[in-house]
Amino acid sequence: MSSAETLASADIAVVGAGAAGLCTAWELRRRGFTVAVVEQRFPTYGSSGRNPGCLWIQTRRVGLELALARAGRAKYDDFAAEFGDVFDYRREGGLFFWETEEQGAIMDDYARDRRAAGVEVEVLTHTQAREHTPILPATAIGAVFCAEDAQIDSLGFITAMESACTRAGVQIFRNTTALTTLREGDHAVGVRTVRGVVRASGVVWATGAWASTLKDEGLEVSMSTTRVGQMMMQPVEAQSGGILHGPRGVDGCGALADLPSFEASRFAPPISSRPIADGVAYDDTMALNRGGSLYVGHSIDGRGSLNPHISLESTELMVAAGRDRYPRYSGMGVMGLWAGLGTETADGLPIVGRDDGAYLNVAHAWGVASAPVCAQVLAELITGEDSEFAEGLSPQRAALTRDS
C-alpha cells in the first residue's frame, strides 16, 4: 500500500462525529492520544443534532441506567465550566404530567418508586406545575416534577465539542465515509475511507445505527435500529421552562413501565385519524429551545431499517398531539419535521467496549445523557483505568444475545 493512499495517521481512529464520537475523541485527546475522526457527512447531520436535548433523570430505571444518566448530566456541568455557556445548558427540571385520574393513580406509585430510588420528586397540581413551564397543556391534571432533569441545545453542544476537539489537535474529516476496517490478524489498525486510509493503533466505531452495517465485516452488534421523529414549531413563547413528558406514549420511560401497577392501555399514543400502525410507538415529549420554538414528539418507527426519512404515520401522530394539546398554536408554522436513526438494545443500555479487535461506543437510545459519559468509559478502558460502568456496558454482557 503506497503512502499516497494515507489520509491520516493517529493513535486512535474514531468513526463517527456525533456526540459519542466527538466526546470519545475529546476524552482520548485529554489523555494524550492523537486522534483522527472520520464522518460520512458532518457532525450535526445525524440523530445527535436532531433532538430537543432533553436530559431525563426521573424516567431512568434504578441501578446502572439511573447512575449512568446522572453521570452523564454531571459531564455537562464539566463541559459548561470548560467551554462556557455555548450550548444553552438549562437546569430547570422536568415535569411528567398526567391527563386522567387513572393515570394519576399510577403516577402516584411512580413518584413513590422514584423517591425509594433516591430521586427527589414532587407531585404537583396543575397550578403548581404551570409555574415551571409556559407550555404545560390545559389537559394536564397534575405532574411529577424532578429538579435533576435538564436540557441542552444539542446542535450547540456538538458544534462546541467539534471546536474543542479541533483546538486540542484532533483531526476531523468531514464527508469521509468509512468503508472497511483495516486489520492485522485480530486487531483493527485503521479504516479505509472514500478519501484514503486512516492508520491507527486502535479503531473506535461510534456510528450509531450505522454500526449495524458492521455485520458485513462479521461483527454482529447486538442492537436494533429505529427511526425517531420530531416536529419543531416556530417560536411560540418568550419564557423558558422545564422539559415535559406526557402520558400519550411512554416508550422511553422504563421506570414507569416497570411498575407493577403500570397499564399500557392507560398510556396509549396520540389519537390520529386512524388506528396507529403496527410497529409505530410514541414517546410523548415537549420542550422549548432557547429561541422559544416548541418541540413535539417523538415518534418511533422504521425498526430494522436505515431509512432516515420520517413517515406520514409518524408525522400524523405528532401533529395530532400538538393540535390537541395546543390549540392556541394551531395557526403557527412548522419549522422542522425530521427523523434521526436511533437504536435499541435488550436492556436499554448502550454498548461500550472492545469487540472483534475494535472498540464500540454505540446503541445510545437516550444519547443526550449517555454519550458523553460513555465516551469517558471507553477512554478509561483503552487506557487501562478503573471504570465504574465498563462491565455493565460491555458488548459481552449477559443481557445481550447474538444471532447465531
Side-chain angles (χ1 to χ4, degrees):
M1 188 176 295
S2 68
S3 59
E5 293 177 297
T6 299
L7 176 65
S9 296
D11 295 326
I12 304 289
V14 177
V15 184
L22 288 175
C23 288
T24 298
W26 171 256
E27 294 286 349
L28 289 169
R29 186 72 192 103
R30 286 172 65 88
R31 287 164 171 78
F33 289 82
T34 57
V35 185
V37 179
V38 296
E39 163 59 42
Q40 65 174 334
R41 295 294 293 274
F42 50 88
T44 59
Y45 176 75
S47 58
S48 291
R50 303 185 186 202
N51 65 79
C54 296
L55 282 157
W56 286 104
I57 303 299
Q58 65 166 293
T59 59
R60 304 271 70 94
R61 290 181 169 97
V62 67
L64 179 56
E65 185 175 306
L66 177 58
L68 192 69
R70 280 175 157 163
R73 186 188 185 281
K75 293 294 292 185
Y76 287 105
D77 292 329
D78 296 339
F79 293 139
E82 183 146 3
F83 303 158
D85 183 20
V86 293
F87 55 90
D88 194 22
Y89 182 29
R90 289 190 278 168
R91 288 151 279 194
E92 299 183 67
L95 293 151
F96 198 154
F97 65 89
W98 63 89
E99 296 174 308
T100 69
E101 295 299 339
E102 293 82 5
Q103 292 167 355
I106 297 171
M107 292 301 290
D108 282 339
D109 289 344
Y110 168 78
R112 284 190 287 270
D113 176 83
R114 297 292 77 199
R115 294 186 186 112
V119 180
E120 293 188 15
V121 298
E122 299 176 72
V123 178
L124 306 180
T125 65
H126 177 95
T127 301
Q128 291 169 327
R130 188 69 171 74
E131 296 176 1
H132 290 277
T133 176
I135 59 169
L136 183 73
T139 54
I141 296 174
V144 176
F145 174 75
C146 177
E148 286 189 78
D149 298 327
Q151 185 182 12
I152 64 165
D153 175 353
S154 294
L155 285 170
F157 175 69
I158 296 298
T159 300
M161 182 55 70
E162 181 186 17
S163 296
C165 284
T166 300
R167 290 194 302 270
V170 175
Q171 302 175 80
I172 300 175
F173 298 94
R174 297 178 170 215
N175 300 309
T176 305
T177 302
L179 302 175
T180 59
T181 307
L182 299 178
R183 295 182 176 276
E184 289 183 359
D186 295 331
H187 188 61
V189 294
V191 290
R192 185 183 301 278
T193 78
V194 294
R195 296 174 58 193
V197 167
V198 177
R199 306 179 188 279
S201 299
V203 175
V204 175
W205 288 93
T207 50
W210 295 98
S212 61
T213 63
L214 290 172
K215 64 184 179 184
D216 296 334
E217 298 187 20
L219 175 54
E220 291 278 355
V221 182
S222 299
M223 67 181 197
S224 57
T225 60
T226 62
R227 179 173 53 206
V228 181
Q230 193 80 52
M231 181 174 74
M232 184 179 74
M233 299 182 65
Q234 69 183 92
V236 297
E237 296 287 347
Q239 175 189 350
S240 66
I243 56 179
L244 289 179
H245 205 297
R248 304 185 193 182
V250 291
D251 192 78
C253 305
L256 174 65
D258 287 352
L259 292 175
S261 60
F262 176 75
E263 297 179 49
S265 62
R266 302 290 187 190
F267 296 85
I271 298 173
S272 59
S273 61
R274 56 193 173 87
I276 190 169
D278 290 340
V280 178
Y282 199 75
D283 198 38
D284 188 13
T285 59
M286 292 132 279
L288 293 170
N289 67 11
R290 173 180 281 180
S293 292
L294 174 65
Y295 289 95
V296 176
H298 50 268
S299 61
I300 304 162
D301 66 358
R303 285 182 165 85
S305 169
L306 291 175
N307 178 359
H309 303 295
I310 195 167
S311 67
L312 288 174
E313 181 83 37
S314 292
T315 300
E316 189 172 13
L317 288 178
M318 290 183 285
V319 170
R323 186 175 54 229
D324 181 60
R325 293 259 180 70
Y326 301 108
R328 67 187 185 275
Y329 301 148
S330 60
M332 308 295 279
V334 174
M335 295 179 62
L337 186 63
W338 62 84
L341 293 174
T343 53
E344 297 174 330
T345 59
D347 57 5
L349 294 169
I351 299 173
V352 183
R354 187 176 174 85
D355 200 355
D356 195 30
Y359 295 97
L360 299 175
N361 187 2
V362 297
H364 294 277
W366 35 283
V368 176
S370 65
V373 67
C374 286
Q376 176 184 314
V377 172
L378 187 56
E380 289 166 348
L381 280 170
I382 290 173
T383 57
E385 302 169 50
D386 291 335
S387 181
E388 176 184 358
F389 301 116
E391 183 177 357
L393 302 177
S394 167
Q396 292 80 35
R397 64 184 186 264
L400 303 184
T401 58
R402 296 181 184 275
D403 296 331
S404 58

